Amino acid sequence: MTNNDATYHVPVMLQECLDGLNINPDGIYVDVTFGGGGHSRAIFEKLSSKGRLIVFDQDPDARANAWEAPNFHFVAANFAFLKNHLRVLGIPAVDGILADLGVSSHQFDDAKRGFSIRSNEALDMRMNQAGDFTAAKIVQTYDEEQLAAIFRKYGELDHPFKTAVELVKARNKSKIKTTGELMEALMPVAPKFKDHKFFAQVFQALRIEVNQEMDVLEKFLLQTAEVLKPEARLVVMSYHSLEDRLVKNLMKRGNLDGSIEKDFFGKVLKPFEEVNRKPILPSEEEIQRNTRARSAKLRIAKRVTDGK
């Protein structure tokens, strides 16, 4: 088994994730965000020869971190198709699912991928490089209303329309092809002393739109109850409020929109029971070791038998 994790991605809250999965050595587990394989490798080491680990990742770079084993299977696909791929593998239900959402350290650190505000590279931001929809296409073709909508919804900017207007004005003067050119174009509307956060929000909005991350997450979450065995665990780590809100709603209320359904006796109908009422946060020590852990929130729930 290879170990590229130290250079590819530092797994966040590793022990907390393992504890959350409550691993049965003979069970079947799924890591839908394989990445550098840090979490997956730790799960696999806890399995017996009877246990199985299925991992998903649509990024071709991630495949290099996979290993060969009879009870390990790499699925080169988006986790929105979780149920279908498990069915193809002949797996009707699993004992635990882990999702470490967001962008991997490798994707951020590989400048040519265009995820980082620290470099001047092509506006790409694709997690699946087989696709042809890039951040550059959004920047060059979306109108002011479309740009403002994603800046508001996915970037949670204070002045999304103002930002959109400035971007369109800049691209009319000169084509914006790189991350550096995008930041330069928006510098006139970047808040003083808060420009780093502003650009991070802009990049987040573009990245989410390029990869349809919220739509993918919704599809994934709605499938989890169908593929988890009774008492099986769902462990999800999110890095911004948009992701966390969906996960929280599913685990607490049984619906992604936060609505509540009750039976005739007034009992809330939901497929999950929270293991931790509040999200688990990384320790100060971990944040010092790995600054990318600072915004992580870990939520854990178990599949109930009498829910929806």
Side-chain angles (χ1 to χ4, degrees):
M1 191 188 302
T2 59
N3 190 344
N4 298 327
D5 186 60
T7 57
Y8 193 102
H9 179 72
V10 179
V12 175
M13 287 193 275
L14 177 58
Q15 190 58 51
E16 291 89 338
C17 288
L18 295 175
D19 292 343
L21 286 170
N22 192 30
I23 295 172
N24 168 12
D26 296 339
I28 303 174
Y29 293 86
V30 182
D31 182 349
V32 297
T33 48
F34 179 66
H39 288 101
S40 287
R41 194 172 294 109
I43 294 169
F44 189 75
E45 288 172 354
K46 289 185 173 293
L47 299 180
S48 71
S49 59
K50 294 179 181 178
R52 295 177 68 183
L53 177 62
I54 316 299
V55 303
F56 284 70
D57 207 301
Q58 64 180 339
D59 188 342
D61 288 355
R63 184 182 283 277
N65 300 310
W67 59 88
E68 294 293 329
N71 55 344
F72 173 84
H73 189 85
F74 182 93
V75 179
N78 189 300
F79 59 76
F81 306 106
L82 170 68
K83 186 179 176 181
N84 287 345
H85 282 283
L86 289 179
R87 185 183 294 123
V88 169
L89 292 171
I91 301 173
V94 301
D95 296 278
I97 298 173
L98 170 67
D100 180 8
L101 305 174
V103 183
S104 73
S105 298
H106 168 74
Q107 290 169 329
F108 267 125
D109 292 339
D110 185 356
K112 69 178 184 294
R113 301 293 293 272
F115 287 106
S116 175
I117 65 175
R118 299 194 304 267
S119 59
N120 184 24
E121 297 291 338
L123 275 167
D124 191 327
M125 301 193 191
R126 292 170 298 167
M127 290 182 178
N128 182 358
Q129 294 180 298
D132 60 1
F133 186 60
T134 65
K137 286 194 175 183
I138 295 173
V139 168
Q140 293 300 334
T141 64
Y142 277 30
D143 61 27
E144 290 174 348
E145 287 76 16
Q146 290 174 305
L147 288 168
I150 65 169
F151 289 153
R152 180 186 305 108
K153 186 176 180 181
Y154 299 146
E156 300 180 292
L157 291 178
D158 292 332
H159 303 288
F161 194 75
K162 181 180 179 182
T163 304
V165 169
E166 189 66 27
L167 178 53
V168 172
K169 183 171 71 174
R171 81 184 186 197
N172 287 339
K173 294 179 182 177
S174 179
K175 192 171 183 179
I176 300 171
K177 297 179 290 185
T178 70
T179 54
E181 290 169 355
L182 173 62
M183 293 170 66
E184 183 178 354
L186 295 180
M187 193 61 75
V189 294
K192 196 173 183 180
F193 306 121
K194 294 183 179 180
D195 55 317
H196 187 279
K197 179 183 178 182
F198 168 77
F199 288 123
Q201 290 173 293
V202 169
F203 275 48
Q204 174 180 294
L206 292 172
R207 189 200 82 218
I208 290 174
E209 179 72 3
V210 167
N211 298 289
Q212 294 296 294
E213 290 178 40
M214 301 312 296
D215 181 55
V216 166
L217 179 57
E218 288 184 9
K219 289 178 178 176
F220 159 70
L221 290 173
L222 290 173
Q223 294 174 67
T224 55
E226 299 180 57
V227 300
L228 283 167
K229 298 176 183 177
E231 301 298 312
R233 297 292 185 89
L234 174 62
V235 178
V236 184
M237 189 147 47
S238 60
Y239 293 85
H240 58 75
S241 59
L242 299 174
E243 295 171 336
D244 183 59
R245 190 176 301 123
L246 289 177
V247 178
K248 177 182 177 180
N249 284 343
L250 178 71
M251 292 184 178
K252 283 184 178 293
R253 302 179 177 89
N255 288 289
L256 299 183
D257 61 6
S259 62
I260 294 176
E261 295 180 31
K262 297 182 179 180
D263 64 15
F264 180 78
F265 301 101
K267 182 179 180 181
V268 177
L269 293 169
K270 60 177 187 174
F272 292 102
E273 177 185 317
E274 292 175 288
V275 172
N276 56 316
R277 294 288 179 183
K278 294 184 178 180
I280 298 172
L281 305 178
S283 66
E284 287 300 321
E285 181 183 352
E286 178 169 8
I287 293 172
Q288 289 178 1
R289 291 197 316 267
N290 179 14
T291 57
R292 285 172 181 160
R294 66 183 178 274
S295 58
K297 289 184 177 181
L298 181 67
R299 293 187 184 273
I300 305 164
K302 66 178 179 180
R303 181 72 168 95
V304 295
T305 56
D306 57 350
K308 289 189 294 184

